[in-house]
Each structure stands twice: as C-alpha cells, then as structure tokens.
C-alpha cells in the first residue's frame, strides 16, 4: 500500500532522514519506534507532505506522492494525526469533526462517518457542542483521531497517540486503534514512544536510530529482541 524508497528529508542543513526505506501492506498495523529525535515524526511528515523529502520516492497505492501537497495526499486516502493532537481549541467538537471532512462533498457519507466516530468515542457525542479546548487530554486525542477519520482514510498515520495520557485512557485508545484496523479495514502507521504497547498491537515494526531504519521484524519478534528490550523496553 505504501512504500518509502531511500527517502532523505532535511530541515535546512540538518538531515533528519537518511535513506529511509520501508513497506506497509494493506491491512497492517505497522509501528515505528525509536528514541527522541530519531526521525519518527519526520517520517510521518514526509509521507503526509508537510515536510517533503529532498530525495527518494514515496509511493501510495502505486502512485508517487512525494512532491504532492498535503491536501492532495489527504484526498488520496492518507490522514495524519499529529503529535500533540492540535485540535482547534475554539471550535466545538462537531466543528472540529466538520473540518476533518472539509474535502468531501458526500453529505450522506459524512453523516454516516460522524455516527461511526460517535459510536467509537461516545464521550465525543456527549460533548459535541463543547469547545475542543475544554476537553481533557484523552478526549482531545479521541477528537484528533476522529477528525482524521472524517476524511475516510485508508491509511492512518498516528504520531504518539499515548503522549501525556493516563494508562487507562491509553489502553482505551489502543483498543480503538486495533478496532479501526480489524473492523474498519484501516491500515495504521503508528509512531510511539510506548514501545511495549505499540509492539504488542503491531503486525510488524521498524526501529529508527539517527534517521536510519536499523531493525525490522514482527511486533512479537521485536518484543523479545535483546537490543530492543534494552534500549526501548527498559528490561
Ligand atoms: P520525538 O520522539 O522527540 O518527537 P522523533 O523521533 O519524532 O523525536 P523528529 O522530530 O522527526 O524525531 O526529529 C528528527 C531530527 O530532526 C532531530 O534531530 C530534530 O532535532 C530535527 N528536527 C525536527 N524538527 C525540526 C525543525 N523544525 N527544525 C530543525 N530541526 C528539526
């Protein structure tokens, strides 16, 4: 579904990604783990067009998407939930969700998807007229995911959904990620600091260090890999 071939991305003179290559097959949950500053966020931003690569190819469903603007990439079926949630704090929950669907014209489909996200996260239905900024951190994360889902993505990019949330809320969000994958046929690319949880739900995983992919394998295999255990699982 998605292929990165030798992608390099820079911020000015700083090279954040060095020849990154990876593959995501339709229907998979893939996780990318790594230390702070390894280049995980930049990988997602390169895919969604927010920080376009300087060289290399990014191919989504056989179409090259490197060099396309972010709006076009969303239209093709790739939605990005950025780190730190970035919902619109002064808009209501409903207005935030409308923003997620702003590229769509199919009113019936939008209504159906709204019903779907309210079933996934009933708390958002209860708070639909409340300003986004008044929600708790967990609820804002639910809103950020739901807003991305309103674009009806086939590939969902999630950047650190667990960041700053209580364990119970993290558990709830991870179970929704699995549900989206299994029941809604959404392919997931998950960037996480919480390597333990992420590897548990991932079909496959990549490890990133200093802008390079250094290791790949099934989530299960990486959980028992000694180097991963030492560096990312604190075991
Ligand atoms: P974190 O878990 O802290 O978010 P990360 O693995 O997502 O880390 P990136 O945010 O992709 O890492 O950063 C990769 C490298 O690019 C780091 O060296 C970082 O300092 C640098 N970098 C990131 N954003 C910028 C920017 N806007 N300007 C300059 N350098 C940046």
């Amino acid at each position: 579904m998605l292929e990165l071939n030798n992608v390099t991305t820079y911020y000015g003179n700083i090279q954040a990604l060095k020849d990154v290559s990876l593959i995501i097959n339709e229907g998979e949950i893939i996780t990318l783990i790594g230390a702070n500053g390894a280049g995980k966020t930049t990988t997602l931003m390169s895919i969604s067009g927010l920080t376009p690569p300087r060289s290399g190819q990014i191919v989504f469903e056989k179409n090259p998407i490197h060099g396309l603007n972010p709006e076009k990439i969303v239209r093709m079926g790739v939605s990005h939930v950025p780190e730190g949630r970035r919902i619109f704090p002064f808009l209501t929950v409903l207005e935030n969700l409308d923003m997620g669907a702003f590229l769509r014209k199919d009113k019936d489909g939008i209504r159906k998807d709204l019903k779907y996200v309210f079933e996934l996260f009933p708390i958002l239905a209860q708070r639909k007229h409340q300003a986004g900024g008044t929600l708790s951190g967990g609820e804002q994360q639910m809103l950020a995911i739901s807003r991305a889902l309103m674009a009806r993505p086939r590939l969902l990019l999630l950047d650190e959904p667990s960041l700053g949330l209580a364990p119970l809320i993290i558990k709830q969000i991870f179970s929704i990620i699995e549900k989206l994958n299994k029941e809604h046929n959404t392919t997931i690319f998950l960037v996480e600091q919480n390597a333990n949880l992420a590897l548990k739900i991932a079909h496959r995983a990549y490890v990133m260090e200093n802008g390079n992919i250094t290791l790949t394998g099934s989530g299960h295999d990486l959980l028992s890999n000694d180097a991963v255990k030492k560096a990312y699982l604190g075991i």
Side-chain angles (χ1 to χ4, degrees):
M1 179 179 235
L2 184 83
E3 194 167 349
L4 272 65
N5 288 318
N6 298 319
V7 169
T8 64
T9 303
Y10 284 75
Y11 297 99
N13 290 328
I14 300 168
Q15 185 172 11
L17 300 187
K18 301 166 185 161
D19 287 329
V20 169
S21 298
L22 58 84
I23 285 178
I24 297 176
N25 299 305
E26 190 174 355
E28 285 185 313
I29 299 178
I30 299 295
T31 189
L32 179 62
I33 61 170
N36 282 336
K40 304 180 300 298
T41 293
T42 308
T43 304
L44 295 190
M45 297 214 301
S46 299
I47 297 167
S48 61
L50 295 170
T51 310
R54 190 174 286 183
S55 64
Q57 293 90 38
I58 303 181
V59 181
F60 176 64
E61 294 181 333
K62 304 203 166 82
N63 301 300
I65 57 169
H66 51 274
L68 297 184
N69 69 42
E71 181 187 314
K72 220 166 197 164
I73 294 171
V74 174
R75 270 185 205 282
M76 291 172 81
V78 182
S79 288
H80 184 169
V81 183
E83 186 175 356
R85 317 193 247 281
R86 314 251 185 95
I87 53 135
F88 301 106
F90 300 112
L91 299 185
T92 65
V93 166
L94 212 46
E95 287 164 343
N96 268 276
L97 294 170
D98 279 347
M99 294 298 276
F102 88 107
L103 291 171
R104 294 173 60 183
K105 302 236 174 342
D106 57 323
K107 288 214 167 103
D108 284 349
I110 293 173
R111 218 170 294 126
K112 222 166 121 194
D113 288 345
L114 195 60
K115 194 165 162 261
Y116 178 70
V117 299
F118 283 157
E119 276 165 20
L120 280 179
F121 299 113
I123 191 77
L124 294 182
Q126 285 174 34
R127 306 215 187 292
K128 64 184 171 193
H129 299 302
Q130 222 170 292
T134 67
L135 302 182
S136 70
E139 289 162 1
Q140 288 190 22
Q141 185 63 68
M142 293 171 195
L143 179 55
I145 294 172
S146 299
R147 186 182 58 186
L149 291 176
M150 291 304 293
R152 202 177 266 191
R154 290 188 297 287
L155 174 63
L156 186 63
L157 310 175
L158 291 168
D159 198 348
E160 304 265 9
S162 77
L163 197 71
L165 302 181
L168 204 65
I169 308 287
I170 296 175
K171 211 171 148 207
Q172 198 183 342
I173 285 179
F174 270 65
S175 94
I176 295 287
I177 294 171
E178 283 192 287
K179 189 169 172 173
L180 280 173
N181 175 252
K182 279 200 193 108
E183 294 176 13
H184 206 235
N185 200 24
T186 311
T187 305
I188 311 269
F189 191 25
L190 170 67
V191 159
E192 256 300 333
Q193 288 274 336
N194 191 331
N196 185 36
L197 267 184
L199 290 173
K200 276 189 181 141
I201 69 162
H203 299 108
R204 289 188 302 115
Y206 292 91
V207 178
M208 185 166 238
E209 282 172 37
N210 298 318
N212 292 296
I213 300 286
T214 52
L215 196 61
T216 182
S218 71
H220 183 263
D221 285 351
L222 291 194
L223 272 173
S224 53
N225 177 292
D226 283 341
V228 171
K229 274 187 183 166
K230 200 162 160 226
Y232 306 108
L233 303 176
I235 303 174

